[in-house]
């Protein structure tokens, strides 16, 4: 009896029950023992909270949950496995291709290749898909293989020209490296990649996939290293999910702020100016002006003062702040009068200098200083993307200097500011607490722990739900990140609140406390929009370029039917402008239908058409962007409704 017991292990199932298995049993053995139907659907398992493949050997006492396509964790496994099949297909079609990395990403997967004798084009994708289908039909299995002899495997990689695999294996040689091999029906490995997995059991589970695009990349994102070719794709468990995603992609493409920026004459990026540097055209400048006006007005209501600071400063300033030690690779340096200067990457040191300009008392605190400050940071060219990833940008920055007793209330007030602002634009958000980086940080662990606890306490008191993002804090302090959710449910980096005990210490900031001693203030860094550039790019896509009336560059376009109607059309235009409505008279010698069509393409919220009837009755014919033709309307009524719509910053038309 004891021998039988010694040859058994016991594992715990999700319902709390236990099941005995023979030693060296795998997850697949467990699935089969629970139910044959479960085994047929099984993709992977969660063993003690770690996701593993079906061929993983189980140990006594482990908690095991079998995962099927019904479990969300398996979608990433499907996509990563499909990426491997795509890479195999590419190497079948282009034998000179060498593989780099191929991870799953939030919306699918990609793989990078070095293909010396071929430039991939979109026309190649159907051929690669067909080859993938042939591989899938052959019902290959995914088998995990431990690399027992690293030296031998390195030699094999190098002999076959797989230099990227070899570099990765050398880097991870001491971390129990593994291969995942695709094995044919004869159990012969036909393809492999250096990978930790997990993967699906075999290719029969890959049924719904699509290759989407090709792009360029660099090995490990380094412009000094090999230029690679990247293929993006996606995979789903059902056709319905794939169709839904492709429809979403189509809508996202229509909303692409780069396309709309050109179509609506909003902004441009010129080679003569440089990558990542935005030229704001008049139309988008109006939108920005309205948002900045709101920003200033709201800040003054909430007890802030507005300050301004230079664009450059001596390098010594950034030595004190720690930027030269921890942020150097993102900074621009210049030499002036044999002195090194820095193009500012952040506004905070300047606000600190303003604080130092006078002696401060606890009676002065909190001090709240806001600045729409333009900063400059080096981003790799491959990371730049329209307005949402740039090199020069304006932060709606503010810094609060307060006592330790005040910072919780100050953070709660900022959360309220962010919440009310995002509601103004109809945006939902998620919240993350980003904690101390593992290595690049300044200050003591005690100060970091205190700062993180302070942010947590403020969020709890406000009732704000959040997730923890380990190690993603700024080098000088932890932060609360607000992830904006747009109309397509995509998330974007938005507002941040950073609690900082370190910079005040580095700059030796002091205030006179109530007991007469000198104490160090707490510093809070915060932005509401994040950057004007990124926020504007997000807004363009969120509204698909159809801004609400209070933001719209042309709030009303007046269209005379014929030349004889120009005078009255001009009177209407002047009347609207005089009361602050941005009216534009289209007096070109084009047909009315052409003018209406162009006004619709410009996404103006209102079109006013005037002809004989309108001139005689001194009224207007109204078209509304979201609705269409509303027929004859009284001009004064229109003015009253639209004026209130603008004043209240409404998201929808007064006529909807």
């Amino acid at each position: 009896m004891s021998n039988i017991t010694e040859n058994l292990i016991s594992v715990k199932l999700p319902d709390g029950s236990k099941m005995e298995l023979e030693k060296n049993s795998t997850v697949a053995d467990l699935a089969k023992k629970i139910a044959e139907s479960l085994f047929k659907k099984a993709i992977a398992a969660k063993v003690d909270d770690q996701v593993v493949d079906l061929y993983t050997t189980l140990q006594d006492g482990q908690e095991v949950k079998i995962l099927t396509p019904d479990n969300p964790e398996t979608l990433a496994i499907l996509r990563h496995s499909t990426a491997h099949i795509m890479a195999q297909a590419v190497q079948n079609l282009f034998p000179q291709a060498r593989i780099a990395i191929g991870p799953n990403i939030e919306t699918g997967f990609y793989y990078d290749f070095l293909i010396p004798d071929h430039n991939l084009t979109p026309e190649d994708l159907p051929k690669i898909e067909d080859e993938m289908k042939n591989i899938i039909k052959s019902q290959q299995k995914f088998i995990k293989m431990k690399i027992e002899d690293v030296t031998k495997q390195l030699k094999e990689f190098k002999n076959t020209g797989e230099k990227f695999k070899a570099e990765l294996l050398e880097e991870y040689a001491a971390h129990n490296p593994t291969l995942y091999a695709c094995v044919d029906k004869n159990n012969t490995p036909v393809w492999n990649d250096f990978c930790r997995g997990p993967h699906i059991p075999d290719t029969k589970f890959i049924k719904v996939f699509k290759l989407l695009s090709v792009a360029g990349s660099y090995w490990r994102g380094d412009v000094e290293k090999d230029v690679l070719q990247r293929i993006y794709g996606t995979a789903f468990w059902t056709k319905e999910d794939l169709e839904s995603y492709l429809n979403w992609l189509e809508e996202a493409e229509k909303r692409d702020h780069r396309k709309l920026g050109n179509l609506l004459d909003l902004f441009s990026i010129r080679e003569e100016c440089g990558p990542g540097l935005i030229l704001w055209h008049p139309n988008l400048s109006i939108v920005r002006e309205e948002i900045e006006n709101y920003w200033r007005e709201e800040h003054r209501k909430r007890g802030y003062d507005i300050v301004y600071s230079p664009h450059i400063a001596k390098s010594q300033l950034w030595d004190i702040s720690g930027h030269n030690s921890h942020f150097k690779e993102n900074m621009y340096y210049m030499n002036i009068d044999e002195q090194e200067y820095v193009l500012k990457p952040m506004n905070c040191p300047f606000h600190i200098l303003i604080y130092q300009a006078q002696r401060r008392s606890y009676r002065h605190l909190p001090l709240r200083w806001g600045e729409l400050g333009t900063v400059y940071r080096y981003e790799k060219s491959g990371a730049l993307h329209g307005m949402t990833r740039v090199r020069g940008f304006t932060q709606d920055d503010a810094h609060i200097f307060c006592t330790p007793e005040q910072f919780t209330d100050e953070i709660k007030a900022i959360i309220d500011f962010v919440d009310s602002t995002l509601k103004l634009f109809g945006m939902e958000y998620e919240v993350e607490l980003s904690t101390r980086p593992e290595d690049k940080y300044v200050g003591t662990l005690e100060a970091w722990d205190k700062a993180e606890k302070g942010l947590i306490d403020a969020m709890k008191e406000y009732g704000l739900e959040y997730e923890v993002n380990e190690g993603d804090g700024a080098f000088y302090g932890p932060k609360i990140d607000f992830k904006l959710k747009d109309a397509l449910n995509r998330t974007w980096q938005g507002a941040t609140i950073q609690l900082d005990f370190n910079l005040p210490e580095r700059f030796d900031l002091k205030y006179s406390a109530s007991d007469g001693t000198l104490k160090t203030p707490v510093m809070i860094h915060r932005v509401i929009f994040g950057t004007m550039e990124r926020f504007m790019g997000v807004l363009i896509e969120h509204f698909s370029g159809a801004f609400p009336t209070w933001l719209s560059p042309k709030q009303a376009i007046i269209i005379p039917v014929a030349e004889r109607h120009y005078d009255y059309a001009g009177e209407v235009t002047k009347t609207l402008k005089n009361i602050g409505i941005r009216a534009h008279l289209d007096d070109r010698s084009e047909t009315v239908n052409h003018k209406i069509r162009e006004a619709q393409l410009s996404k103006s919220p209102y079109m006013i058409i005037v002809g004989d009837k309108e001139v005689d009755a001194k009224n207007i014919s109204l078209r509304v962007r979201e609705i269409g033709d509303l027929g004859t309307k009284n001009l004064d009524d229109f003015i009253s409704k639209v004026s209130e719509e603008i004043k209240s910053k409404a998201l929808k038309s007064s006529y909807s």
Side-chain angles (χ1 to χ4, degrees):
M1 178 70 76
S2 60
N3 287 337
I4 296 175
T5 304
E6 288 174 3
N7 289 326
L8 295 177
I9 61 170
S10 175
V11 297
K12 186 177 179 181
L13 302 181
D15 62 1
S17 63
K18 293 184 178 180
M19 183 166 284
E20 289 189 337
L21 298 161
E22 292 183 5
K23 276 189 177 180
N24 299 319
S25 291
T26 65
V27 172
D29 296 326
L30 172 62
K32 191 178 289 187
K33 186 169 183 179
I34 293 172
E36 188 68 29
S37 59
L38 178 63
F39 171 69
K40 289 180 180 178
K41 293 193 300 179
I43 300 298
K46 187 177 280 188
V47 178
D48 291 342
D49 288 328
Q50 181 182 356
V51 178
V52 301
D53 64 42
L54 288 186
Y55 303 111
T56 299
T57 301
L58 295 171
Q59 304 297 322
D60 187 56
Q62 290 180 320
E63 294 186 17
V64 186
K65 178 183 179 181
I66 306 297
L67 302 177
T68 72
D70 295 328
N71 300 109
E73 298 96 329
T74 60
L75 187 57
I77 301 171
L78 171 70
R79 287 171 171 171
H80 189 40
S81 303
T82 308
H84 276 223
I85 297 303
M86 180 185 74
Q88 184 183 162
V90 168
Q91 291 195 303
N92 287 352
L93 294 172
F94 308 105
Q96 296 304 311
R98 296 296 174 258
I99 60 174
I101 59 171
N104 60 283
I105 54 178
E106 185 178 357
T107 56
F109 58 84
Y110 70 79
Y111 234 109
D112 286 342
F113 303 92
L114 179 66
I115 312 178
D117 56 353
H118 183 79
N119 290 323
L120 291 169
T121 68
E123 287 69 36
D124 289 315
L125 299 185
K127 302 172 194 173
I128 298 170
E129 285 182 347
D130 287 341
E131 181 62 19
M132 289 173 68
K133 290 173 184 175
N134 290 333
I135 294 170
I136 290 166
K137 285 178 185 175
S138 69
Q139 291 190 356
Q140 294 180 6
K141 291 182 179 180
F142 289 87
I143 302 297
K144 186 176 184 178
M145 304 169 66
K146 186 177 180 181
I147 300 176
E148 303 288 355
D149 189 335
V150 171
T151 302
K152 180 181 177 182
Q153 188 62 62
L154 278 171
K155 185 177 179 180
E156 181 182 325
F157 282 161
K158 290 174 180 177
N159 287 342
T160 56
E162 295 288 2
K163 63 177 185 176
F164 305 116
K165 286 187 187 181
E167 182 178 325
L168 291 171
L169 178 54
E170 285 179 327
E171 185 174 332
Y172 292 97
H175 295 79
N176 299 315
T178 59
L179 293 176
Y180 263 88
C182 290
V183 176
D184 66 15
K185 289 182 178 179
N186 298 318
N187 287 325
T188 303
V190 294
W191 188 88
N192 69 62
D193 192 9
F194 176 63
C195 181
R196 66 181 180 184
H199 283 279
I200 58 178
D202 60 62
T203 57
K204 72 180 180 183
F205 289 99
I206 304 174
K207 296 176 181 176
V208 183
F209 67 92
K210 180 74 177 173
L211 301 188
L212 301 170
S213 62
V214 295
S217 64
Y218 296 100
W219 172 235
R220 297 197 148 178
D222 189 337
V223 295
E224 302 296 325
K225 294 184 177 178
D226 288 282
V227 178
L228 305 175
Q229 300 183 68
R230 176 173 294 179
I231 300 177
Y232 285 98
T234 193
F236 289 91
W237 291 117
T238 68
K239 287 183 179 179
E240 293 77 14
D241 286 343
L242 175 61
E243 288 172 3
S244 176
Y245 175 68
L246 294 178
N247 289 336
W248 180 90
L249 270 186
E250 186 178 344
E251 181 60 28
E253 190 174 351
K254 289 178 187 174
R255 290 172 179 259
D256 189 323
H257 74 279
R258 295 166 299 175
K259 291 184 178 180
L260 289 172
N262 182 57
L263 179 69
L264 302 176
D265 192 23
L266 299 175
F267 73 95
S268 59
I269 301 169
R270 297 292 299 274
E271 184 61 35
E272 301 92 323
C273 185
L277 301 172
I278 304 298
L279 297 169
W280 295 69
H281 295 197
N283 284 340
L284 195 59
S285 296
I286 289 172
V287 182
R288 175 170 174 165
E289 181 183 5
E290 290 292 342
I291 290 175
E292 287 186 358
N293 287 343
Y294 160 80
W295 184 89
R296 291 187 180 91
E297 180 182 341
E298 197 65 23
H299 274 73
R300 296 196 191 282
K301 284 181 186 176
R302 292 173 180 265
Y304 287 78
D305 292 309
I306 308 300
V307 298
Y308 297 89
S309 62
H311 286 246
I312 62 172
K314 289 181 178 180
S315 189
Q316 292 97 307
L317 178 66
W318 310 98
D319 284 333
I320 301 170
S321 69
H323 285 83
N324 280 338
S325 300
H326 298 276
F327 206 70
K328 192 178 184 74
E329 67 274 12
N330 295 104
M331 292 160 64
Y332 293 100
Y333 293 82
M334 63 187 79
N335 197 280
I336 303 171
D337 296 335
E338 299 182 359
Q339 169 71 55
E340 188 175 62
Y341 279 74
V342 173
L343 199 55
K344 68 173 177 179
M346 295 180 185
N347 300 300
C348 17
F350 296 96
H351 295 190
I352 289 172
L353 295 182
I354 296 173
Y355 183 95
Q356 288 179 328
Q358 291 184 25
R359 294 182 65 181
R360 307 290 177 181
S361 162
Y362 73 96
R363 298 180 188 279
H364 299 138
L365 305 183
L367 288 169
R368 306 181 188 97
W369 293 335
E371 176 181 10
L372 288 164
T374 301
V375 300
Y376 303 88
R377 299 180 192 174
Y378 173 69
E379 294 277 0
K380 292 179 180 178
S381 56
L384 299 175
H385 183 83
M387 298 188 81
T388 58
R389 199 69 181 266
V390 293
R391 288 177 173 169
F393 52 90
T394 301
Q395 290 182 308
D396 66 311
D397 219 347
H399 294 95
I400 299 170
F401 300 89
C402 63
T403 69
E405 296 76 26
Q406 293 170 332
F407 74 71
T408 299
D409 286 340
E410 290 299 312
I411 292 170
K412 287 192 291 184
I414 298 168
I415 293 171
D416 181 71
F417 195 169
V418 173
D419 182 69
S420 63
T421 298
L422 295 182
K423 283 177 180 173
L424 182 67
F425 297 96
M427 285 185 164
E428 296 179 351
Y429 59 84
E430 297 171 346
V431 179
E432 288 182 350
L433 171 67
S434 297
T435 59
R436 176 176 53 82
E438 200 168 309
D439 47 12
K440 284 192 174 184
Y441 67 90
V442 295
T444 64
L445 292 178
E446 181 184 3
W448 274 88
D449 291 343
K450 187 178 178 182
E452 289 176 9
K453 183 178 184 303
L455 291 177
I456 290 170
D457 288 346
M459 287 191 288
K460 285 183 176 178
E461 287 187 28
Y462 191 85
L464 194 67
E465 294 184 2
Y466 65 94
E467 298 289 333
V468 176
N469 185 8
E470 293 286 354
D472 201 40
F475 71 85
Y476 49 80
K479 59 180 179 171
I480 300 171
D481 285 321
F482 291 79
K483 307 291 185 180
L484 313 184
K485 297 182 78 171
D486 68 9
L488 293 182
N489 216 31
R490 298 171 297 185
T491 57
W492 304 82
Q493 176 61 54
T496 64
I497 306 171
Q498 300 172 0
L499 188 55
D500 184 0
F501 291 94
N502 293 306
L503 285 185
E505 291 280 0
R506 294 176 75 91
F507 281 89
D508 195 28
L509 299 188
K510 298 296 180 185
Y511 68 93
S512 299
S514 58
D515 60 3
T517 61
L518 291 178
K519 293 188 176 179
T520 302
V522 177
M523 185 177 181
I524 301 172
H525 310 247
R526 52 108 288 209
V527 290
I528 302 300
F529 296 119
T531 77
M532 297 304 292
E533 284 73 11
R534 181 190 293 134
F535 188 74
M536 206 62 66
V538 173
L539 270 194
I540 293 168
E541 298 197 7
H542 179 61
F543 290 120
S544 196
F547 296 109
T549 304
W550 74 280
L551 291 176
S552 183
K554 295 175 182 175
Q555 293 168 328
I557 295 178
I558 293 82
I559 302 173
V561 174
E563 192 171 341
R564 64 182 180 275
H565 309 123
Y566 281 12
D567 287 346
Y568 179 62
E571 289 175 22
V572 172
T573 304
K574 185 177 180 181
T575 299
L576 296 178
K577 283 185 173 181
N578 284 343
I579 61 168
I581 295 175
R582 290 188 289 272
H584 171 75
L585 175 61
D586 189 347
D587 56 3
R588 296 173 301 159
S589 56
E590 301 283 355
T591 66
V592 174
N593 286 339
H594 181 81
K595 291 179 182 180
I596 291 173
R597 186 163 57 251
E598 288 205 345
Q600 288 172 330
L601 289 173
S602 76
K603 300 183 184 281
S604 174
Y606 295 106
M607 286 161 270
I608 293 173
I609 296 94
V610 295
D612 290 335
K613 289 191 298 182
E614 288 74 29
V615 171
D616 292 342
K618 297 298 179 185
N619 54 27
I620 59 172
S621 180
L622 184 64
R623 291 183 67 90
V624 179
R625 181 176 60 200
E626 294 90 352
I627 304 170
D629 186 11
L630 294 186
T632 302
K633 296 292 178 183
N634 179 275
L635 179 58
D636 289 338
D637 288 346
F638 170 78
I639 290 172
S640 176
K641 280 191 171 186
V642 173
S643 295
E644 179 56 32
E645 183 183 331
I646 294 168
K647 181 181 177 182
S648 65
K649 298 179 173 58
L651 286 171
K652 294 186 177 181
S653 165
S654 301
Y655 291 90
S656 60

PDB file of all heavy atoms in Angstrom, residues 66-79:
ATOM      1  N   ILE A  66      -7.456  23.928 -15.349  1.00  0.00           N
ATOM      2  CA  ILE A  66      -7.334  23.670 -16.782  1.00  0.00           C
ATOM      3  C   ILE A  66      -7.951  24.844 -17.548  1.00  0.00           C
ATOM      4  O   ILE A  66      -9.068  25.271 -17.249  1.00  0.00           O
ATOM      5  CB  ILE A  66      -8.024  22.350 -17.180  1.00  0.00           C
ATOM      6  CG1 ILE A  66      -7.511  21.181 -16.320  1.00  0.00           C
ATOM      7  CG2 ILE A  66      -7.822  22.072 -18.663  1.00  0.00           C
ATOM      8  CD1 ILE A  66      -6.057  20.880 -16.476  1.00  0.00           C
ATOM      9  N   LEU A  67      -7.234  25.335 -18.543  1.00  0.00           N
ATOM     10  CA  LEU A  67      -7.701  26.482 -19.327  1.00  0.00           C
ATOM     11  C   LEU A  67      -8.154  26.041 -20.717  1.00  0.00           C
ATOM     12  O   LEU A  67      -7.464  25.272 -21.398  1.00  0.00           O
ATOM     13  CB  LEU A  67      -6.583  27.521 -19.469  1.00  0.00           C
ATOM     14  CG  LEU A  67      -6.010  28.088 -18.159  1.00  0.00           C
ATOM     15  CD1 LEU A  67      -4.859  29.041 -18.459  1.00  0.00           C
ATOM     16  CD2 LEU A  67      -7.100  28.809 -17.365  1.00  0.00           C
ATOM     17  N   THR A  68      -9.298  26.550 -21.133  1.00  0.00           N
ATOM     18  CA  THR A  68      -9.870  26.275 -22.458  1.00  0.00           C
ATOM     19  C   THR A  68     -10.085  27.612 -23.169  1.00  0.00           C
ATOM     20  O   THR A  68      -9.851  28.677 -22.587  1.00  0.00           O
ATOM     21  CB  THR A  68     -11.213  25.539 -22.330  1.00  0.00           C
ATOM     22  OG1 THR A  68     -12.196  26.460 -21.833  1.00  0.00           O
ATOM     23  CG2 THR A  68     -11.102  24.338 -21.398  1.00  0.00           C
ATOM     24  N   PRO A  69     -10.531  27.609 -24.428  1.00  0.00           N
ATOM     25  CA  PRO A  69     -10.802  28.883 -25.116  1.00  0.00           C
ATOM     26  C   PRO A  69     -11.786  29.791 -24.385  1.00  0.00           C
ATOM     27  O   PRO A  69     -11.844  30.991 -24.676  1.00  0.00           O
ATOM     28  CB  PRO A  69     -11.370  28.428 -26.465  1.00  0.00           C
ATOM     29  CG  PRO A  69     -10.689  27.125 -26.718  1.00  0.00           C
ATOM     30  CD  PRO A  69     -10.619  26.467 -25.370  1.00  0.00           C
ATOM     31  N   ASP A  70     -12.534  29.248 -23.446  1.00  0.00           N
ATOM     32  CA  ASP A  70     -13.454  30.091 -22.666  1.00  0.00           C
ATOM     33  C   ASP A  70     -12.722  30.974 -21.659  1.00  0.00           C
ATOM     34  O   ASP A  70     -13.299  31.937 -21.155  1.00  0.00           O
ATOM     35  CB  ASP A  70     -14.464  29.210 -21.912  1.00  0.00           C
ATOM     36  CG  ASP A  70     -15.379  28.453 -22.861  1.00  0.00           C
ATOM     37  OD1 ASP A  70     -15.667  28.989 -23.946  1.00  0.00           O
ATOM     38  OD2 ASP A  70     -15.792  27.332 -22.512  1.00  0.00           O
ATOM     39  N   ASN A  71     -11.475  30.637 -21.355  1.00  0.00           N
ATOM     40  CA  ASN A  71     -10.690  31.421 -20.395  1.00  0.00           C
ATOM     41  C   ASN A  71      -9.890  32.503 -21.119  1.00  0.00           C
ATOM     42  O   ASN A  71      -9.185  32.203 -22.091  1.00  0.00           O
ATOM     43  CB  ASN A  71      -9.734  30.518 -19.622  1.00  0.00           C
ATOM     44  CG  ASN A  71     -10.460  29.439 -18.838  1.00  0.00           C
ATOM     45  OD1 ASN A  71     -10.414  28.255 -19.182  1.00  0.00           O
ATOM     46  ND2 ASN A  71     -11.145  29.840 -17.782  1.00  0.00           N
ATOM     47  N   PRO A  72      -9.977  33.745 -20.690  1.00  0.00           N
ATOM     48  CA  PRO A  72      -9.311  34.835 -21.406  1.00  0.00           C
ATOM     49  C   PRO A  72      -7.794  34.692 -21.508  1.00  0.00           C
ATOM     50  O   PRO A  72      -7.191  35.207 -22.439  1.00  0.00           O
ATOM     51  CB  PRO A  72      -9.692  36.086 -20.592  1.00  0.00           C
ATOM     52  CG  PRO A  72     -10.165  35.583 -19.266  1.00  0.00           C
ATOM     53  CD  PRO A  72     -10.739  34.234 -19.515  1.00  0.00           C
ATOM     54  N   GLU A  73      -7.180  33.975 -20.563  1.00  0.00           N
ATOM     55  CA  GLU A  73      -5.720  33.821 -20.596  1.00  0.00           C
ATOM     56  C   GLU A  73      -5.235  33.098 -21.853  1.00  0.00           C
ATOM     57  O   GLU A  73      -4.074  33.248 -22.250  1.00  0.00           O
ATOM     58  CB  GLU A  73      -5.227  33.036 -19.371  1.00  0.00           C
ATOM     59  CG  GLU A  73      -5.510  33.692 -18.036  1.00  0.00           C
ATOM     60  CD  GLU A  73      -6.776  33.170 -17.384  1.00  0.00           C
ATOM     61  OE1 GLU A  73      -7.711  32.795 -18.112  1.00  0.00           O
ATOM     62  OE2 GLU A  73      -6.810  33.136 -16.140  1.00  0.00           O
ATOM     63  N   THR A  74      -6.117  32.308 -22.472  1.00  0.00           N
ATOM     64  CA  THR A  74      -5.663  31.469 -23.584  1.00  0.00           C
ATOM     65  C   THR A  74      -5.539  32.231 -24.900  1.00  0.00           C
ATOM     66  O   THR A  74      -4.898  31.745 -25.835  1.00  0.00           O
ATOM     67  CB  THR A  74      -6.617  30.271 -23.795  1.00  0.00           C
ATOM     68  OG1 THR A  74      -7.939  30.758 -24.095  1.00  0.00           O
ATOM     69  CG2 THR A  74      -6.662  29.399 -22.558  1.00  0.00           C
ATOM     70  N   LEU A  75      -6.133  33.414 -25.007  1.00  0.00           N
ATOM     71  CA  LEU A  75      -6.060  34.161 -26.263  1.00  0.00           C
ATOM     72  C   LEU A  75      -4.612  34.552 -26.569  1.00  0.00           C
ATOM     73  O   LEU A  75      -4.161  34.462 -27.717  1.00  0.00           O
ATOM     74  CB  LEU A  75      -6.952  35.402 -26.206  1.00  0.00           C
ATOM     75  CG  LEU A  75      -7.098  36.184 -27.519  1.00  0.00           C
ATOM     76  CD1 LEU A  75      -7.622  35.291 -28.633  1.00  0.00           C
ATOM     77  CD2 LEU A  75      -8.014  37.387 -27.322  1.00  0.00           C
ATOM     78  N   ALA A  76      -3.873  34.972 -25.547  1.00  0.00           N
ATOM     79  CA  ALA A  76      -2.465  35.336 -25.746  1.00  0.00           C
ATOM     80  C   ALA A  76      -1.653  34.113 -26.184  1.00  0.00           C
ATOM     81  O   ALA A  76      -0.747  34.220 -27.022  1.00  0.00           O
ATOM     82  CB  ALA A  76      -1.887  35.919 -24.457  1.00  0.00           C
ATOM     83  N   ILE A  77      -1.988  32.948 -25.638  1.00  0.00           N
ATOM     84  CA  ILE A  77      -1.284  31.719 -26.010  1.00  0.00           C
ATOM     85  C   ILE A  77      -1.558  31.377 -27.469  1.00  0.00           C
ATOM     86  O   ILE A  77      -0.648  31.017 -28.226  1.00  0.00           O
ATOM     87  CB  ILE A  77      -1.708  30.555 -25.088  1.00  0.00           C
ATOM     88  CG1 ILE A  77      -1.391  30.893 -23.631  1.00  0.00           C
ATOM     89  CG2 ILE A  77      -1.027  29.256 -25.504  1.00  0.00           C
ATOM     90  CD1 ILE A  77      -1.957  29.905 -22.630  1.00  0.00           C
ATOM     91  N   LEU A  78      -2.825  31.479 -27.860  1.00  0.00           N
ATOM     92  CA  LEU A  78      -3.190  31.226 -29.260  1.00  0.00           C
ATOM     93  C   LEU A  78      -2.404  32.145 -30.192  1.00  0.00           C
ATOM     94  O   LEU A  78      -1.866  31.714 -31.214  1.00  0.00           O
ATOM     95  CB  LEU A  78      -4.692  31.435 -29.449  1.00  0.00           C
ATOM     96  CG  LEU A  78      -5.184  31.417 -30.902  1.00  0.00           C
ATOM     97  CD1 LEU A  78      -5.100  30.004 -31.471  1.00  0.00           C
ATOM     98  CD2 LEU A  78      -6.604  31.955 -31.006  1.00  0.00           C
ATOM     99  N   ARG A  79      -2.343  33.431 -29.853  1.00  0.00           N
ATOM    100  CA  ARG A  79      -1.691  34.402 -30.730  1.00  0.00           C
ATOM    101  C   ARG A  79      -0.186  34.163 -30.815  1.00  0.00           C
ATOM    102  O   ARG A  79       0.399  34.264 -31.896  1.00  0.00           O
ATOM    103  CB  ARG A  79      -1.996  35.817 -30.229  1.00  0.00           C
ATOM    104  CG  ARG A  79      -3.435  36.216 -30.502  1.00  0.00           C
ATOM    105  CD  ARG A  79      -3.811  37.507 -29.822  1.00  0.00           C
ATOM    106  NE  ARG A  79      -5.126  37.968 -30.271  1.00  0.00           N
ATOM    107  CZ  ARG A  79      -5.799  38.974 -29.738  1.00  0.00           C
ATOM    108  NH1 ARG A  79      -5.282  39.639 -28.705  1.00  0.00           N
ATOM    109  NH2 ARG A  79      -6.974  39.334 -30.212  1.00  0.00           N
TER     110      ARG A  79
END
